[in-house]
Amino acid sequence: MAISYTLKKKDEKTRARAGIMHTNRGDVLTPVFMPVGTCATVKTISPDELKDLGAQIILSNTYHLYLRPGHDVVAEAGGLHCFMNWDRPILTDSGGFQVFSLAQLRKIKEDGVLFRSHLDGSLHHFTPEKVMEIEQALGADIAMAFDDCSPYPAEYKTVLDALERTTNWAKRCQEVHKDSTQALFGIVQGGLYPELRERSLREIVALDFPGIGIGGLSVGEPKPLMYEILDGMMPMMPEDKPRYLMGVGSPDCLVEGVARGVDMFDCVLPTRIARNGTVWVKEGKLVIRNAEYARDFRPIDSNCGCYACRNFSRAYIRHLLKAGEVLGIRLTTIHNLYFLTHLMADIRKSILDGTFSQFRYDFHLQWK
Amino acid sequence: MAISYTLKKKDEKTRARAGIMHTNRGDVLTPVFMPVGTCATVKTISPDELKDLGAQIILSNTYHLYLRPGHDVVAEAGGLHCFMNWDRPILTDSGGFQVFSLAQLRKIKEDGVLFRSHLDGSLHHFTPEKVMEIEQALGADIAMAFDDCSPYPAEYKTVLDALERTTNWAKRCQEVHKDSTQALFGIVQGGLYPELRERSLREIVALDFPGIGIGGLSVGEPKPLMYEILDGMMPMMPEDKPRYLMGVGSPDCLVEGVARGVDMFDCVLPTRIARNGTVWVKEGKLVIRNAEYARDFRPIDSNCGCYACRNFSRAYIRHLLKAGEVLGIRLTTIHNLYFLTHLMADIRKSILDGTFSQFRYDFHLQWK
């Protein structure tokens, strides 16, 4: 396994913890948020901008890269790092979530999933073995095992089947992946059923992956339900491995996830809402497209150190967004990702300082 | 007048010349290409990227900014430089070309032009006085006089009327602009009729503007016709003022324009073709969207020093363009603008070295 985890400090009142994930491409300070670069690019921004805003590690999507440009092209380029010119760590998801989201376009069997491309309708077959082959070709530092992610809501039997399949597939992934230098993380499923979560976690932990993904949350359920499931699972988590809550990126969920012992997060939320003209400030959302900002010549947040806030006004960014100018969505994207990376850095600092509970309290006091 | 021109060197075999245009925001080395920032942003790129690629001065469009966000908003921001965070010189066009391009949406009278907004169909009236008011509110270093630009082809009488109106409007612009610290350039019209060009030039030169725009070319006529018109006009141009060939930006036209004594150019061509997936190399166009580049891991041009060529492959840029990713059009835009700014720098150097004719010969030998 090419990664390891060092626990630096545990919070006394919560499960929050600060640590370091060591990779061949450098250390990642945790807890960490990973910006999503679906198609080998974090939408609208460059690798240099990603570094400037404090991204330590990014996520890229196996399903999308497999379809376009093709994992063979990426491999021929020398892997994803070379292809997209990003020399810090990368994690690739397994495509599980994507192909299960295709709804009418896919057919699940024990062997794998048959699905149609959302691009051209062509037929494809993902098995655990095939996904491992693709992820190894992409060459990320961390690959995720191929899992079966249940929707929300889902019947007990559906979730149970998906859980069993996920464990079975995790073993098959591990088998074909055993000689790889790439780290492979297992994924826990089990939907919103505490006993299924417990069982899935037990089975995945038993396989001794170097990191553990928590899948199947933030799929439409109310936040309190997600927190309950995390509360139930986290005491059973091994301490010496990073825990990655997949697909979660709302600032309040990051704070609450960390409080429950999560080390890693990813989500398209900051970049997606940015492209719709919404930015985060410490009070919550600010819809910068709105008319009220047409003559507001202050930065998005005068206390923010991001490129957008250091150089441009709300009025200018609003103008760019209204005019459909690309620089507008670049600036909102930079701001939102900077907001999250710095939120995580502040959270980490508070854990190390022993003031996380105060940080959490203050955060929620302001956040709307 | 807030600008002046110093002639540094005249080429011996052609009319090419190297000079310096002095402005309150620094010197501009001529001949120069001005990237176009229609809506107070050069499409897809940031002011820092613009500086990095060597842009000395940019153009912005009065018509577009008047409609959105409104010149009053820009003025309230402290002018265009503050609004868009660009501290180098800016030139604003007069909106003449834009409103005359509206075809069915506008009505020309001696007083001015009545037109409908392309955004919402609302009715507006541009007069020379109104345009001066807008351009002064925008606060560029150089404003262009409001002119009547004839289409191509156009009847003699149409072109004559437009010419007379242009001279008349130039006087009115000068009258209301006389106390401004902003420089005002007059514009020569006259279509493809040499005697009308001569008359227009004589009339505009007589008004003693600090710089002279050449309008109404590159409007659809064959390039040799444009060159003929330039050949006829340039001997009559005053030597101590910059000559600005409006709307011309094809590399071969830049070389030929310089050979005829032009100092300044602007055009949306480099940025527009970039967004369509076409880049320039010394041999001409390279349509990087094409399938042949899918596995081409070389940079666009291995001799180019732009950000795109220093960091990314043709295969990656093609992938980004095919996937509709913004970074793709950012990289092609940066490359094309870098190509032009460095072409102009090379041209200037060759004039100073006394090797412009050789440069021109070598350029055309390769350019397809």
Side-chain angles (χ1 to χ4, degrees):
Chain A
M1 70 189 66
I3 76 128
S4 62
Y5 175 81
T6 305
L7 178 62
K8 297 302 282 184
K9 178 86 180 268
K10 285 169 68 174
D11 184 50
E12 291 180 1
K13 297 179 190 150
T14 68
R15 294 196 178 277
R17 54 192 220 150
I20 302 174
M21 182 168 69
H22 310 282
T23 83
N24 293 336
R25 283 193 177 79
D27 287 349
V28 174
L29 306 181
T30 62
V32 67
F33 175 80
M34 304 182 285
V36 178
T38 297
C39 299
T41 171
V42 174
K43 286 195 192 305
T44 81
I45 66 176
S46 72
D48 296 272
E49 287 163 338
L50 261 179
K51 287 186 181 177
D52 281 351
L53 62 82
Q56 303 183 70
I57 171 173
I58 61 168
L59 176 145
S60 200
N61 292 112
T62 291
Y63 166 80
H64 290 86
L65 294 175
Y66 160 77
L67 292 178
R68 185 171 59 194
H71 56 296
D72 53 331
V73 170
V74 176
E76 214 178 306
L80 201 42
H81 294 86
C82 290
F83 187 56
M84 67 181 291
N85 193 34
W86 173 255
D87 58 7
R88 294 186 182 176
I90 302 178
L91 178 150
T92 43
D93 69 359
S94 65
F97 180 76
Q98 269 80 23
V99 295
F100 287 98
S101 304
L102 291 173
Q104 298 315 311
L105 297 175
R106 48 91 180 144
K107 192 164 184 177
I108 307 165
K109 298 185 177 184
E110 280 319 304
D111 184 41
V113 183
L114 205 65
F115 64 94
R116 287 194 183 278
S117 158
H118 73 287
L119 296 176
D120 62 5
S122 56
L123 207 60
H124 301 267
H125 192 209
F126 268 9
T127 61
E129 292 76 18
K130 178 71 185 175
V131 168
M132 287 301 95
E133 178 200 323
I134 299 168
E135 289 198 80
Q136 290 191 54
L138 296 175
D141 304 273
I142 303 172
M144 299 303 294
F146 191 50
D147 63 325
D148 183 341
C149 178
S150 310
Y152 174 83
E155 296 293 322
Y156 187 89
K157 182 66 170 71
T158 309
V159 177
L160 176 63
D161 287 352
L163 176 170
E164 291 179 339
R165 202 172 287 119
T166 295
T167 297
N168 175 25
W169 288 357
K171 290 174 185 166
R172 285 165 58 189
C173 285
Q174 201 170 42
E175 178 57 27
V176 295
H177 199 270
K178 62 176 185 283
D179 298 324
S180 174
T181 55
Q182 192 177 46
L184 177 66
F185 281 19
I187 298 176
V188 178
Q189 288 293 345
L192 278 295
Y193 299 97
E195 65 275 28
L196 296 185
R197 280 283 162 186
E198 193 184 317
R199 179 178 154 191
S200 180
L201 180 56
R202 204 180 334 110
E203 292 176 359
I204 296 299
V205 166
L207 295 174
D208 198 27
F209 291 102
I212 297 183
I214 304 165
L217 291 179
S218 196
V219 289
E221 79 282 7
K223 287 176 184 177
L225 273 189
M226 175 174 82
Y227 298 149
E228 263 185 58
I229 290 295
L230 288 176
D231 284 331
M233 291 170 71
M234 298 312 270
M236 300 169 53
M237 280 279 179
E239 279 226 326
D240 59 342
K241 291 171 180 178
R243 304 108 175 226
Y244 160 32
L245 179 56
M246 304 171 72
V248 170
S250 173
D252 51 330
C253 291
L254 295 189
V255 173
E256 289 310 297
V258 169
R260 286 162 176 82
V262 174
D263 303 303
M264 302 164 68
F265 303 85
D266 82 284
C267 195
V268 296
L269 190 68
T271 43
R272 180 170 290 164
I273 66 171
R275 297 196 302 284
N276 291 329
T278 296
V279 289
W280 282 321
V281 291
K282 61 182 187 302
E283 295 82 11
K285 286 180 187 173
L286 189 149
V287 185
I288 199 161
R289 287 186 71 94
N290 285 353
E292 64 185 292
Y293 303 113
R295 288 163 192 272
D296 188 336
F297 300 106
R298 295 171 299 172
I300 293 172
D301 177 351
S302 30
N303 294 314
C304 175
C306 84
Y307 177 71
C309 289
R310 281 187 285 110
N311 291 287
F312 304 97
S313 67
R314 294 174 174 185
Y316 181 62
I317 295 171
R318 174 184 187 267
H319 160 67
L320 294 176
L321 294 170
K322 296 294 284 183
E325 290 287 351
V326 161
L327 184 59
I329 58 175
R330 286 178 59 185
L331 295 176
T332 53
T333 298
I334 286 173
H335 175 82
N336 280 354
L337 288 178
Y338 184 100
F339 184 89
L340 282 200
T341 54
H342 286 72
L343 173 66
M344 297 311 273
D346 290 345
I347 287 175
R348 188 174 195 274
K349 187 170 178 300
S350 77
I351 298 170
L352 293 172
D353 292 349
T355 57
F356 173 70
S357 289
Q358 186 63 46
F359 182 94
R360 182 186 186 186
Y361 177 85
D362 292 342
F363 173 87
H364 288 298
L365 204 62
Q366 292 190 92
W367 189 259
K368 276 172 203 82
Chain B
M1 68 187 71
I3 75 129
S4 61
Y5 175 81
T6 306
L7 179 62
K8 298 299 285 185
K9 178 85 180 268
K10 285 169 70 174
D11 184 51
E12 290 179 1
K13 296 178 189 151
T14 68
R15 293 196 178 277
R17 54 193 220 150
I20 301 173
M21 182 168 68
H22 309 283
T23 84
N24 292 337
R25 284 192 178 78
D27 286 350
V28 174
L29 306 181
T30 61
V32 66
F33 175 79
M34 304 182 284
V36 177
T38 297
C39 300
T41 170
V42 175
K43 286 195 192 304
T44 83
I45 66 175
S46 71
D48 296 272
E49 287 163 339
L50 261 180
K51 286 186 182 178
D52 281 351
L53 62 82
Q56 303 184 70
I57 172 174
I58 61 168
L59 176 144
S60 201
N61 292 112
T62 292
Y63 166 81
H64 291 85
L65 294 175
Y66 160 77
L67 291 178
R68 187 172 60 194
H71 56 295
D72 52 333
V73 170
V74 175
E76 213 177 307
L80 201 43
H81 294 85
C82 290
F83 188 55
M84 66 181 293
N85 194 34
W86 173 256
D87 58 8
R88 293 185 182 176
I90 303 177
L91 178 150
T92 43
D93 70 357
S94 65
F97 180 75
Q98 270 80 20
V99 296
F100 287 99
S101 303
L102 291 173
Q104 298 315 312
L105 297 176
R106 48 91 180 142
K107 193 165 185 178
I108 308 165
K109 298 187 176 181
E110 280 320 304
D111 184 41
V113 183
L114 206 64
F115 64 94
R116 287 194 183 277
S117 158
H118 73 288
L119 297 176
D120 62 5
S122 56
L123 206 61
H124 300 268
H125 192 210
F126 267 8
T127 61
E129 293 75 15
K130 178 70 184 175
V131 168
M132 287 301 97
E133 177 199 323
I134 300 168
E135 290 199 79
Q136 290 192 53
L138 296 175
D141 304 274
I142 302 171
M144 300 303 294
F146 191 51
D147 63 324
D148 183 342
C149 178
S150 310
Y152 174 82
E155 296 292 324
Y156 188 90
K157 181 65 169 71
T158 308
V159 178
L160 176 63
D161 287 350
L163 175 169
E164 290 179 340
R165 202 173 287 119
T166 294
T167 297
N168 174 25
W169 288 357
K171 290 175 185 166
R172 284 167 57 187
C173 285
Q174 201 171 43
E175 178 57 27
V176 294
H177 199 270
K178 62 177 185 285
D179 298 323
S180 174
T181 55
Q182 191 179 44
L184 177 66
F185 281 20
I187 298 176
V188 177
Q189 291 291 347
L192 277 297
Y193 299 97
E195 65 275 30
L196 295 186
R197 281 282 164 187
E198 191 183 318
R199 178 177 154 190
S200 180
L201 180 57
R202 203 181 335 110
E203 292 176 0
I204 295 300
V205 166
L207 294 174
D208 198 25
F209 290 102
I212 296 182
I214 304 165
L217 290 179
S218 196
V219 288
E221 78 282 6
K223 287 176 185 177
L225 273 189
M226 176 174 80
Y227 297 149
E228 264 186 57
I229 290 295
L230 287 176
D231 284 332
M233 291 170 72
M234 298 313 270
M236 299 169 53
M237 280 279 179
E239 280 224 326
D240 59 342
K241 290 171 181 179
R243 303 104 176 230
Y244 161 31
L245 179 55
M246 303 171 74
V248 170
S250 174
D252 52 330
C253 292
L254 295 189
V255 173
E256 290 310 297
V258 170
R260 286 162 177 83
V262 174
D263 304 302
M264 303 164 67
F265 303 85
D266 82 285
C267 195
V268 296
L269 190 69
T271 44
R272 180 171 291 166
I273 67 170
R275 296 196 303 281
N276 292 328
T278 296
V279 289
W280 282 321
V281 292
K282 62 183 185 303
E283 296 82 11
K285 285 181 188 173
L286 189 149
V287 184
I288 198 158
R289 287 187 71 94
N290 285 353
E292 65 184 293
Y293 303 114
R295 289 162 192 273
D296 188 337
F297 300 107
R298 296 171 299 174
I300 294 172
D301 177 351
S302 31
N303 294 314
C304 175
C306 84
Y307 177 71
C309 289
R310 281 187 286 110
N311 291 287
F312 305 97
S313 67
R314 293 173 176 187
Y316 181 62
I317 295 171
R318 175 184 186 267
H319 160 67
L320 294 176
L321 294 170
K322 296 293 283 183
E325 290 288 352
V326 161
L327 184 58
I329 56 174
R330 286 179 57 186
L331 296 176
T332 52
T333 298
I334 286 172
H335 175 82
N336 280 354
L337 287 179
Y338 185 99
F339 183 90
L340 282 200
T341 54
H342 287 71
L343 173 66
M344 296 312 274
D346 290 346
I347 287 175
R348 187 173 195 273
K349 187 171 177 300
S350 77
I351 297 170
L352 293 172
D353 292 348
T355 58
F356 173 71
S357 289
Q358 186 62 46
F359 181 94
R360 181 186 186 186
Y361 178 83
D362 292 343
F363 172 88
H364 288 297
L365 205 61
Q366 293 190 92
W367 189 259
K368 275 173 203 84

